Amino acid sequence: MARAPRLTESAGAVFAVLAEAGSATRPQLASMAGLSKPTVSSAVAELEGVRLAAHSGTSSGGTGRSAAVYRLGPAAGAVLAVDLGPALTRVRGCALDGTLLAEATGSRAAAADVVREALDALPGDAPLRTIVVAVGDVTPPGKRGAGVRPATAKAGPVFDAVAVALPPGVPVHLENNVNCAALAELHEGAARGRDTFGYLRIGVGIGLGIVVGGRVLRGANGAAGELARLPYPWAEGRKPGHEALEDYMGARALLRRAAEVWQQADGPCPRSTDRLLALARKGSAPARAVLDRHAVDVGRLAAAVIAVLDPGLVVLGGGTGADPRLLPGVRAEVERLSWPTEVVSSTVGDLGTVVGAARLAVARGVQTVTEAARAKD
């Protein structure tokens, strides 16, 4: 990994706002960075000298004067985001201004090959600044580097399989996949304009992304939102089991319930939640009945989340949870059990995790460059 050049403090600040803006003139950079125009001119010259910024044209103002427009230079580099999903691996490579440079998708079994495909598609002269890997597991807070691993054995094997494809020397950050999807909803999805909400994912498993004040709440152990660990069942004479709530609400249980009510006259019993949802959309009575019951369960879980967080907004995501058919039933159960809370479906869909991971990777990459800034003499 190419080391970021050492910068003055002002050059680091200008680099950060230029990455956020994508392109800007020097007066615009001065306004966004809160620096004087002479200081910005000096900072831009410094960034151009080390190829972290580049001239990209001119902009005409209302007075007829033109101003030079700048963008990130070729030495700014790129970042990689990897979503190790339960079925698919999705990878995105982005410039530090968020521009998509490469993407690849493939099976979970071929995760390392998918990562290599995306890496090969990145510009050869763009140093790789950081890598964010989203996993369906608890991620230890504050740890990064070659030795980092998920906190439990759940995602360990697939992460180890991917790690062999990651370039040595590049910082690696792990993040929970639900937290990444929550970030995508915050910036690009159903929670835009809201700085506090809960992202409730219902799919193969269950999970909660908690956003408070525009930031993801991770918890002391990196385990905030691990709904699978809620005690279940909680009833007299019944002992809660380990992750029993996820066993009750996950995709396998949903298909098992479908099999219990399916009749020969209903046609072939669905073997995937996608098929079950498709049948419900076509009007299949047993499929609709199974999903209606599932919506009530999801509504009860949402009500439990609301009772603790009072987030004002709950976004339903995941392979099952994001289906609009569940929304009325979930809303009805929340209204019955809790105080008024807006409940909406995800708008970022299956790409949410990799989109959020890419956004996090960009922020980490910019930080990698600006951390090289040193105070001016």
Side-chain angles (χ1 to χ4, degrees):
M1 179 188 72
R3 287 186 175 275
R6 292 183 64 82
L7 303 171
T8 60
E9 187 176 7
S10 57
V14 169
F15 180 85
V17 297
L18 184 57
E20 177 71 21
S23 64
T25 64
R26 280 179 289 185
Q28 289 170 335
L29 290 170
S31 176
M32 289 184 287
L35 298 172
S36 69
K37 291 181 181 179
T39 299
V40 167
S41 293
S42 176
V44 168
E46 181 182 347
L47 293 172
E48 284 189 290
V50 291
R51 302 173 69 234
L52 288 175
H55 182 259
S56 65
T58 57
S59 174
S60 297
T63 62
R65 295 182 179 179
S66 60
V69 177
Y70 297 91
R71 56 174 173 79
L72 295 186
V79 297
L80 198 72
V82 183
D83 169 19
L84 298 180
L88 294 176
T89 297
R90 294 183 173 90
V91 185
R92 284 192 168 193
C94 296
L96 295 196
D97 61 2
T99 301
L100 182 64
L101 300 175
E103 59 183 338
T105 302
S107 70
R108 182 182 175 99
D113 292 333
V114 179
V115 171
R116 292 189 185 99
E117 180 184 344
L119 285 170
D120 290 343
L122 289 176
D125 61 346
L128 192 60
R129 297 298 183 192
T130 194
I131 300 167
V132 169
V133 182
V135 296
D137 200 350
V138 175
T139 56
K143 295 183 179 179
R144 67 181 185 180
V148 69
R149 262 184 122 252
T152 74
K154 183 185 291 186
V158 68
F159 175 76
D160 291 342
V162 166
V164 300
L166 301 179
V170 180
V172 176
H173 302 264
L174 291 186
E175 184 55 89
N176 177 266
N177 57 355
V178 180
N179 287 345
C180 289
L183 282 173
E185 296 292 347
L186 172 66
H187 294 286
E188 304 179 32
R192 278 180 296 184
R194 308 286 287 269
D195 65 357
T196 298
F197 68 96
Y199 170 78
L200 182 57
R201 172 173 282 185
I202 308 293
V204 173
I206 60 174
L208 176 69
I210 305 167
V211 176
V212 178
R215 299 175 65 89
V216 171
L217 180 66
R218 292 177 172 85
N221 298 295
E226 287 293 310
L227 297 181
R229 296 297 182 94
L230 284 175
Y232 179 85
W234 201 356
E236 187 174 352
R238 302 183 66 185
K239 184 177 180 180
H242 179 74
E243 297 189 350
L245 182 59
E246 186 167 87
D247 291 339
Y248 173 76
M249 294 195 65
R252 285 187 292 272
L254 186 61
L255 293 174
R256 188 166 59 246
R257 289 188 200 102
E260 290 170 355
V261 301
W262 219 261
Q263 302 295 322
Q264 187 173 357
D266 300 323
C269 183
R271 296 187 176 183
S272 70
T273 53
D274 286 344
R275 179 59 180 162
L276 178 65
L277 293 167
L279 288 171
R281 287 192 288 270
K282 292 179 180 178
S284 166
R288 295 177 69 172
V290 170
L291 288 177
D292 286 346
R293 173 184 169 182
H294 197 55
V296 171
D297 287 333
V298 174
R300 291 172 181 171
L301 183 57
V305 168
I306 293 165
V308 175
L309 298 177
D310 187 21
L313 171 68
V314 172
V315 179
L316 301 178
T320 307
D323 192 277
R325 172 156 187 84
L326 265 67
L327 193 56
V330 175
R331 284 174 169 170
E333 195 68 359
V334 166
E335 184 177 357
R336 186 180 76 85
L337 294 173
S338 193
W339 42 81
T341 301
E342 186 178 1
V343 182
V344 300
S345 298
S346 165
T347 59
V348 295
D350 295 339
L351 293 177
T353 296
V354 75
V355 167
R359 179 171 284 275
L360 182 59
V362 165
R364 296 280 194 183
V366 172
Q367 184 180 13
T368 297
V369 175
T370 57
E371 280 179 348
R374 55 177 169 79
K376 293 178 69 174
D377 294 335

